[in-house]
Amino acid sequence: MKSGPNPTASTSALSVLAGATLLASLGISIATIALPTLARSFPVTLGELQWVILAYLLAMTVTIVSAGRLGDLYGHRRMLVAGLVLFAIASGLCAISPNLGLLIAARALQGIGGAILVALPMSIARDAVPEAQMGAVMGLLGTMSAAGTALGPSLGGVVMANLGWQAAFGLLAFGGALVLALALRALPMTERSGIGAAARMDWTGTLLLTVALGLFSLATTGAGVAVPWGAGMLLLPAALALAIFVRVQMRSSSPLIPLPLLGNRSIAAGLSMNLLLGTVMMSTLVVGSFFLSFALGLDETTTGLVMAVGPVTAALAGAPAGRLADRLGVDRALMLGLAETVLGFVCLALLPRWFGVVGYVGALIVLTPGFQLFLAANNASVMMAASKAERGVLSGLLGLSRNLGLLAGASLMAAIFTALVGTGQIAQASASSIADAFTVSFLISAALTALAMVLAVLGRRRFAPVA
């Protein structure tokens, strides 16, 4: 990892990268199952309680690019170790928080650590493995992310049932310390990532981007923010902050995001597809639960079990998808993954109408491996197009584009579904109108994924990877 890709990556080093990715994903999913217990422990409203989740997601979203850039400036290994220390300490603070306010503050700190754990593994992997194995490593990281999503509710539920909600965060602290110990042993010291000695952190750009992303995230989630005329009005100052950020980047001698990087057609297309696919994949969560509950009449437990098929399938499909990407080549694997995702959305639009729960599960089993193949191939393609000096910030941009897609999808796909149903009172809508809206929503998702296929064609790699 000192000067370029090694012929092989050690199992222990890959275990560190996988463990870091798993912890960041568990930081989200394990907290969701804690909300009912927290509601009984703290006399607060649901709007206040949701900040236990939002604080982590917002902190991760606004800091993920800066985390990658700091890795480029000061060493990817050094920053990953710092991220593990921060994540473990913040998790411990969550476990001992005596009130909701301190818990939310600790969760925000944990989210900053989580941003580092998301941004740095891909950039370290780019140095640790040869190009021919990049798909397999990206598939492994995708598997661990999905495994964290699938494992969090069940693992957290078992721990909290026996030891209380504090133990769930204590478990994350223990996991962070364990991966930290392995990282100190398994990851060799690295030099600065090819950046000139005069390079420095662009704190003005960092502040402007943080403001822009924070306002956008609050606008798309709502987040219980009291703003005249609605949280959507936050989009205007978010756009203004983004415009000022771009202007600052154009004039900076050491920008947070080198804008010529986004002029690379392969990179720009990869980031755009990541955002678009994140948006439409969110429809499986925000639309699927309404269909299962109100159109098929499933209870909460059964609905949860059916929806768990997606992340479980993703966990199982991630590593094989990565190996397939290496075998086919990233360009062909990318197109195949997108084509299967389109087919999966079409199946999801139609099969549940004909075969009920069986059709829903079958459609998820078609959709999810296609999405995992897309992720492995797209991440590998983008990272291979980056110079060594820009791998950290580009890894952060990949994470950011996906997070922004998920945030945008949570509001956009819900708005589309609500408009198709014809009423915001979903519980009062007829089963047939909900089923019709469900079908059209996923046909729209299929069409948007087809648009991503057009971007894939336009963005086929034109440049050789930069060493």
Side-chain angles (χ1 to χ4, degrees), residues 278-297:
T279 300
V280 295
M281 285 300 293
M282 197 65 184
S283 61
T284 61
L285 298 178
V286 300
V287 174
S289 60
F290 290 119
F291 175 80
L292 293 171
S293 297
F294 296 112
L296 297 185

Side-chain angles (χ1 to χ4, degrees), residues 356-379:
V357 173
V358 174
Y360 194 98
V361 170
L364 286 179
I365 293 174
V366 174
L367 171 67
T368 309
F371 179 64
Q372 289 299 102
L373 181 58
F374 158 78
L375 278 182
N378 191 54
N379 289 347

Side-chain angles (χ1 to χ4, degrees), residues 18 37 64 125 370 386:
T37 304
I64 194 168

Side-chain angles (χ1 to χ4, degrees), residues 188-275:
M189 294 297 296
T190 56
E191 302 168 355
R192 283 161 56 115
S193 302
I195 292 182
R200 65 187 188 279
M201 188 64 183
D202 178 11
W203 293 112
T204 301
T206 297
L207 177 61
L208 288 167
L209 186 61
T210 297
V211 171
L213 293 176
L215 291 173
F216 174 81
S217 300
L218 289 173
T220 53
T221 61
V225 179
V227 178
W229 307 292
M233 290 300 294
L234 294 172
L235 291 175
L236 182 59
L240 178 60
L242 182 61
I244 298 173
F245 168 77
V246 171
R247 185 175 182 84
V248 168
Q249 296 303 283
M250 293 174 65
R251 296 183 173 184
S252 175
S253 60
S254 184
L256 175 65
I257 301 177
L259 295 184
L261 183 70
L262 303 182
N264 182 318
R265 187 180 300 182
S266 176
I267 291 174
L271 295 176
S272 299
M273 288 187 289
N274 217 34
L275 189 149

Side-chain angles (χ1 to χ4, degrees), residues 342-359:
V342 171
L343 176 62
F345 276 128
V346 172
C347 289
L348 198 53
L350 301 176
L351 294 185
R353 300 287 301 271
W354 301 336
F355 304 108
V357 173
V358 174

Side-chain angles (χ1 to χ4, degrees), residues 6 63 147 168 272 290 302 414 431:
N6 296 324
T63 58
S272 299
F290 290 119
T302 307

Side-chain angles (χ1 to χ4, degrees), residues 69-83:
R69 178 61 173 172
L70 286 169
D72 288 336
L73 286 169
Y74 303 113
H76 298 147
R77 183 226 191 232
R78 184 178 290 114
M79 279 305 301
L80 182 62
V81 167

